[in-house]
């Protein structure tokens, strides 16, 4: 499998977050999103949605963090866990603890169901 430039930009965006380079992380993530859409790379788009939510959280924009994740309709276990944590934190910060609890509970239920179904096969 070949490596696409947008995959590198996505990884660089995550690294920029770790170093506090929020503007560069946003720029790289936005460009990676454009190219991932062109390539139809849904997994990368989910990963980039998580990155965008992390960036919004880093800037204290919790509503934007939630908005970044609203179109994610499928995720692997690792992505689901990250999304649940980001949503729970954002809802807590917005003073909506019941939605935070719901996000965590729903994610746990979905992951348990998926685990049961995979072992049943």
């Amino acid at each position: 499998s070949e490596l696409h430039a947008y995959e590198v930009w996505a990884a660089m965006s995550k690294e920029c977050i770790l170093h506090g380079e929020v503007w560069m992380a946003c720029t790289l993530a936005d460009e990676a999103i454009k190219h991932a859409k062109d390539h139809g790379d849904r997994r990368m788009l989910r990963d980039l949605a998580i990155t965008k939510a992390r960036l919004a959280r880093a800037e204290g924009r919790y509503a934007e963090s939630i908005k970044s994740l609203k179109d994610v309709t499928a995720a692997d276990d690792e992505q689901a866990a990250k999304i649940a944590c980001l949503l729970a934190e954002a809802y807590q910060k917005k003073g909506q603890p019941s939605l935070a609890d719901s996000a965590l509970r729903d994610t746990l239920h979905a992951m348990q169901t998926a685990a049961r179904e995979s072992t049943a096969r």
Side-chain angles (χ1 to χ4, degrees):
S1 153
E2 64 184 72
L3 181 65
H4 298 284
Y6 67 86
E7 294 171 314
V8 175
W9 298 332
M12 289 173 63
S13 178
K14 290 178 189 177
E15 191 66 26
C16 286
I17 293 171
L18 296 174
H19 294 281
E21 296 289 339
V22 176
W23 180 83
M24 183 54 71
C26 283
T27 302
L28 288 164
D30 288 341
E31 195 62 30
I33 287 168
K34 291 177 197 173
H35 290 269
K37 283 180 183 176
D38 289 344
H39 286 271
D41 190 339
R42 294 186 317 235
R43 181 171 179 21
M44 182 58 67
L45 286 169
R46 289 190 302 268
D47 196 47
L48 286 161
I50 293 167
T51 299
K52 293 290 285 185
R54 288 179 60 208
L55 286 164
R57 179 190 66 188
E59 294 179 329
R61 296 180 295 121
Y62 297 103
E64 184 70 25
S65 181
I66 293 166
K67 184 180 174 186
S68 295
L69 299 169
K70 73 177 177 64
D71 293 329
V72 178
T73 57
D76 62 29
D77 287 348
E78 181 181 351
Q79 290 172 332
K82 288 177 183 178
I83 290 167
C85 290
L86 285 164
L87 288 173
E89 180 183 3
Y91 285 127
Q92 284 282 25
K93 296 289 186 177
K94 289 184 64 169
Q96 299 172 312
S98 62
L99 291 175
D101 291 342
S102 178
L104 293 172
R105 202 172 32 256
D106 292 349
T107 302
L108 178 61
H109 176 70
M111 292 173 78
Q112 288 172 334
T113 300
R116 279 193 300 274
E117 289 174 0
S118 70
T119 57
R121 292 181 202 162

